[in-house]
Amino acid sequence: MNNGKKVVSISRNYFYYKWFWVFISIVLLAAGITGVAYCLSSAEKFAPRAVQGVMDLERYGLESHGTVRLDGEWDMYWMRLLTPEELASREHAAGEKATPIALPEVWNRVLVEGVQPGGSGHATFHLKVMLNGTASDLGLKLPYIRTAYKAWVNGEPVASSGTVGEDILTSKPQYTPNLIRFHHTGGPLDIVIQVSNYHHRLGGIWKPVELGSWSALDSKLRRELAIETLVTGSLLSMGLYHIGLIALRRKEKGSLYFGLFCLLIGIRAFFTGEGVMYYFIPGVNWLTELRIEYVCFYMGVPAMIMFMHSLYPQEVRSGIVRLILALGAGFSAAAFLIPPPWVTYTTPVFQLITLLTSGYLLFSLGRAVLRKRDGALFAAIGAGAYVATVMLDIMYYNQWIKLGEVSAYGLLVCVFMTSFILSAKSAKAYVEVETLSRQMREMNTGLEHKIRERTAELERINRSLERMNDDLARMETSRRHLLSNISHDLGTPMTLIQGYVEALIDGVVSQPDQQQKYLNLNYESL
């Protein structure tokens, strides 16, 4: 009995959810790949590059394009902290030879007199930008540079971060991106940046410096910060939501692990990309920021594999989970105990561990898909997207490629997929509850009908018994009347016979003919 309502089975609901989210994931991945490809192709096709410390933008049309990355060959003066005046002096022009470096790039890979200098050191970067003579308000975007810098434009100091020094004692690290506004009255721009690094394994200007009109640069930065804030806020919201679910149902450990994973990666996203945290809270201690970023990375991987283990315990082995958790806890402790710059050398090791863990997770999810586990396809899609972007980030942070800091977007795909898995489990449980409730309502309705039928039948039986009882009572009365009559009828002749017998016994009747008469009377009475 379904009261005329159409019932959709759990498997059919799951089918709808499944293909809807597969479609959404494909659209997201396609949009991301298309966007990245378009940006890369546009940048390679139109953007000019600096050559031998000079970038010619006179025919580029900065007003129409809005912004330009100052990529290409800058002059680098290794282990020298030179001011614009010293660079402009004739003595310097005659005797100092610059080392070309193709920015953005860490100086670890640059050959200085045939030798790679390593991460620790200091240098001065110089670039001359040729512009047309139109007066305008320009902007210069300086990223956070490892690990301290001071910048001049046309001999005027415009920005600084930390304290530039010639050794670890005189330098102070700080990540402070800057968007500088200045008025350009015409002629070339002379950009000088002093950089020192004694606290990180990679040093130098590893992110692009951008030049453009002030309005275009300001709008672009606001757009980028808004997107990253949205992504980060989404991750934090998802994390808090799933952690909140554990308060309602403590058996759902998967929600706790997934919530912790989203929180850790969301917090780390504040320090990567454009560095939203550095714009909102610029005065935070550099080492504190670095340790928070590292701990979130080191504990995010164990949280992810623990979540996958909660979903597919037969495919993701508990021994591997305990090993990754122990490694994450150990590296997190090292992030707090090891001083810089040595603490930064722990990341390449854990990046290798992350790659191995990612490979194991993909292998385990592949087995889960083959075994047709619930939600395995979505977990594989999400994990695949996230692992791919993590690999891009690892290569970017090691300066092997120029495209990076995209793991937050891959994580969004992963979050959508894994959130669907948890939502599908809740939806299936809800549908099962609805089905059971409907069945119970139907059972209750049938039971009430049966009770009414049984009650009516019992009432009929009771009335029948009452009638039978009345009949038995009447029969008992008749029986008593009959016995009374029979006793009366039997009592009268017996009395006569008794009198005759007593007369014969007492000798009242002594004559033989009289005795024969009384005997005949007794016989007739019987």
Side-chain angles (χ1 to χ4, degrees):
M1 180 181 295
N2 56 12
N3 298 326
K5 294 181 180 179
K6 185 178 180 181
V7 178
V8 181
S9 65
I10 296 174
S11 59
R12 190 174 177 185
N13 275 324
Y14 181 74
F15 177 82
Y16 292 152
Y17 286 129
K18 172 180 177 179
W19 290 109
F20 172 75
W21 284 103
V22 167
F23 174 76
I24 291 296
S25 65
I26 292 174
V27 169
L28 288 174
L29 288 174
I33 293 172
T34 303
V36 171
Y38 175 77
C39 292
L40 290 177
S41 61
S42 299
E44 291 178 358
K45 183 176 181 180
F46 298 108
R49 294 182 64 84
V51 178
Q52 295 181 353
V54 178
M55 175 174 278
D56 188 359
L57 298 179
E58 290 182 340
R59 290 183 296 273
Y60 175 69
L62 191 60
E63 295 80 7
S64 59
H65 288 89
T67 64
V68 62
R69 289 172 44 159
L70 302 183
D71 294 349
E73 289 183 351
W74 288 51
D75 290 336
M76 182 182 75
Y77 299 93
W78 179 244
M79 300 305 287
R80 296 293 306 275
L81 297 177
L82 302 174
T83 63
E85 293 78 10
E86 292 172 333
L87 286 172
S89 65
R90 292 185 178 181
E91 294 80 3
H92 169 76
E96 190 93 23
K97 184 178 180 181
T99 300
I101 179 172
L103 295 184
E105 178 65 276
V106 293
W107 61 42
N108 301 55
R109 297 187 180 91
V110 177
L111 293 178
V112 179
E113 297 180 356
V115 179
Q116 289 183 339
S120 296
H122 54 274
T124 301
F125 296 84
H126 180 222
L127 177 69
K128 181 172 286 188
V129 182
M130 309 302 295
L131 296 173
N132 56 34
T134 305
S136 60
D137 286 335
L138 298 182
L140 182 68
K141 179 186 174 185
L142 296 175
Y144 57 94
I145 298 172
R146 292 173 178 150
T147 52
Y149 70 87
K150 186 175 182 180
W152 291 261
V153 174
N154 289 340
E156 296 293 330
V158 292
S160 65
S161 175
T163 302
V164 178
E166 296 182 349
D167 53 44
I168 195 171
L169 297 178
T170 57
S171 62
K172 179 183 178 182
Q174 187 70 45
Y175 283 164
T176 308
N178 281 292
L179 182 60
I180 305 151
R181 182 176 186 175
F182 60 95
H183 185 71
H184 176 242
T185 58
L189 291 180
D190 191 70
I191 302 174
V192 178
I193 305 176
Q194 294 179 353
V195 179
S196 67
N197 174 56
Y198 292 94
H199 298 82
H200 200 282
R201 66 186 180 89
L202 300 174
I205 306 175
W206 66 293
K207 285 175 170 287
V209 178
E210 293 185 61
L211 177 69
S213 66
W214 167 253
S215 58
L217 267 181
D218 184 62
S219 299
K220 181 181 179 183
L221 178 60
R222 290 176 183 274
R223 226 174 17 251
E224 292 171 346
L225 290 177
I227 293 173
E228 293 198 2
T229 304
L230 176 63
V231 172
T232 304
S234 300
L235 293 175
L236 295 178
S237 299
M238 292 295 293
L240 293 175
Y241 169 74
H242 285 93
I243 289 177
L245 289 180
I246 199 67
L248 302 176
R249 191 173 181 182
R250 297 186 180 276
K251 293 183 179 180
E252 289 292 337
K253 299 296 184 183
S255 295
L256 175 62
Y257 300 143
F258 184 67
L260 288 175
F261 173 70
C262 290
L263 277 183
L264 290 169
I265 301 303
I267 293 173
R268 182 175 180 271
F270 271 122
F271 301 96
T272 59
E274 288 296 324
V276 176
M277 182 64 70
Y278 305 131
Y279 285 96
F280 291 163
I281 311 177
V284 179
N285 181 267
W286 175 85
L287 186 56
T288 301
E289 295 172 341
L290 186 74
R291 284 171 171 167
I292 292 174
E293 178 189 348
Y294 282 9
V295 169
C296 290
F297 173 46
Y298 295 154
M299 294 307 299
V301 176
M304 184 62 177
I305 197 171
M306 290 169 71
F307 168 65
M308 290 299 177
H309 174 68
S310 68
L311 293 179
Y312 310 108
Q314 296 182 2
E315 285 74 25
V316 182
R317 299 184 180 276
S318 57
I320 300 295
V321 174
R322 287 193 293 269
L323 175 61
I324 300 302
L325 179 60
L327 289 173
F331 275 80
S332 298
F336 282 100
L337 298 176
I338 300 177
W342 311 113
V343 64
T344 62
Y345 288 90
T346 61
T347 54
V349 180
F350 201 80
Q351 287 170 355
L352 177 60
I353 295 173
T354 301
L355 292 177
L356 295 175
T357 304
S358 301
Y360 174 74
L361 276 181
L362 292 178
F363 171 74
S364 300
L365 290 175
R367 290 199 304 169
V369 171
L370 294 177
R371 295 174 181 177
K372 298 181 179 181
R373 306 292 189 196
D374 287 343
L377 177 61
F378 305 104
I381 293 174
Y386 183 56
V387 168
T389 54
V390 166
M391 293 177 65
L392 288 175
D393 277 4
I394 289 175
M395 290 187 287
Y396 174 72
Y397 289 134
N398 287 279
Q399 294 296 289
W400 298 334
I401 60 174
K402 300 301 181 183
L403 172 66
E405 295 186 331
V406 293
S407 60
Y409 304 99
L411 180 59
L412 274 184
V413 178
C414 182
V415 165
F416 277 122
M417 295 296 101
T418 48
S419 296
F420 166 70
I421 296 172
L422 297 176
S423 300
K425 291 175 65 177
S426 300
K428 289 177 68 177
Y430 178 73
V431 172
E432 288 176 354
V433 169
E434 282 189 329
T435 303
L436 291 175
S437 299
R438 187 182 63 255
Q439 292 175 350
M440 290 188 68
R441 286 194 301 269
E442 293 174 354
M443 290 177 62
N444 290 335
T445 303
L447 184 59
E448 290 175 358
H449 179 70
K450 289 182 178 180
I451 289 174
R452 286 194 296 269
E453 290 180 348
R454 296 294 186 269
T455 302
E457 185 177 355
L458 289 174
E459 288 177 351
R460 289 194 300 270
I461 294 173
N462 187 44
R463 288 193 296 268
S464 177
L465 289 174
E466 287 178 353
R467 288 194 299 269
M468 292 177 64
N469 188 44
D470 292 340
D471 293 340
L472 288 174
R474 288 193 297 270
M475 291 175 65
E476 178 65 18
T477 303
S478 300
R479 184 185 66 82
R480 289 177 180 177
H481 289 164
L482 178 62
L483 290 177
S484 176
N485 293 333
I486 292 173
S487 299
H488 181 269
D489 292 341
L490 290 176
T492 300
M494 291 300 292
T495 303
L496 293 174
I497 293 172
Q498 184 179 7
Y500 294 152
V501 174
E502 287 180 351
L504 290 174
I505 292 173
D506 293 341
V508 176
V509 181
S510 59
Q511 297 297 321
D513 56 340
Q514 291 292 324
Q515 291 179 348
Q516 183 64 36
K517 178 183 178 181
Y518 278 100
L519 290 173
N520 289 332
L521 290 172
N522 287 337
Y523 178 77
E524 290 174 359
S525 298
L526 294 173

